[in-house]
Amino acid sequence: MARYKTVSKQLFHKPYKYKDQDGSWKYITKTLEWLWKPIFFKRPQADLVRNRDYSFVDNGQSLSINTLGKRTRCTFESQPFSEYLDGSWNLGTAKLIELKGLWYLHIPVTKAVECFQKENVRHVVGIDRGLRFLTVSYDEQGKTEFVSGRKITAKRHKFLKVRQQLQSKGTKSAKRRLKALSGRENRWMSDVNHRISKTLV
């Protein structure tokens, strides 16, 4: 609904104009009927409100979800999520999405913890993130740690060049190669960030 409202407002600000027989300009306000194709979402998702659109039943073994037809029950991978159903966590509005034939329900969880006590702090470390240096850390003892981003930038530039060359060819084999490369840079960068964060900790 929000997307259609946005498009409707955009169409309203760009009326169709034409010259009448007497030479004067005429304006017609555009509505959603001017759309040639309906709005399409590549990855549809639904927001589900806790205890209204979704709930856990059968002692947390099944998930009850509202659908367009009727309310339905389904099983899920409960092992990693069982600790959040002990009553001490608050479950928020979930997002139901579909990816490569599998359905995922993203549920934000919150929990009240003890107040932060300044007197319990023994060690303070400041961390700065950037591009030239991915991280720079400094503590109260004067210890510093620099992680250079030069090699990272060079490798990302290499990924970019390879993608540009394959896209310029446009052959079937080039497209297959692009598909194989898709996501490789993101996975590699995630691994780099993970190793850096472990080093900092």
Side-chain angles (χ1 to χ4, degrees), residues 108-123:
V109 295
T110 56
K111 184 177 183 178
V113 296
E114 294 181 3
C115 294
F116 176 71
Q117 302 292 334
K118 283 186 178 181
E119 56 270 15
N120 294 335
V121 176
R122 298 180 181 178
H123 192 50

Side-chain angles (χ1 to χ4, degrees), residues 1 27 48-49 63 75 95 152 168 182:
M1 286 177 62
Y27 296 88
L48 306 177
V49 178
L63 189 64
T75 57
K95 285 187 181 295
I152 305 294
S168 63
S182 66

Side-chain angles (χ1 to χ4, degrees), residues 64-119:
S64 176
I65 299 179
N66 262 343
T67 65
L68 293 176
K70 61 179 182 178
R71 199 170 185 93
T72 184
R73 289 189 180 189
C74 57
T75 57
F76 63 97
E77 295 289 339
S78 60
Q79 190 62 33
F81 196 72
S82 57
E83 61 178 288
Y84 298 106
L85 299 177
D86 61 2
S88 62
W89 295 84
N90 294 323
L91 308 183
T93 300
K95 285 187 181 295
L96 181 66
I97 63 172
E98 184 265 340
L99 178 63
K100 295 181 180 179
L102 296 175
W103 290 90
Y104 298 89
L105 188 68
H106 296 175
I107 305 176
V109 295
T110 56
K111 184 177 183 178
V113 296
E114 294 181 3
C115 294
F116 176 71
Q117 302 292 334
K118 283 186 178 181
E119 56 270 15

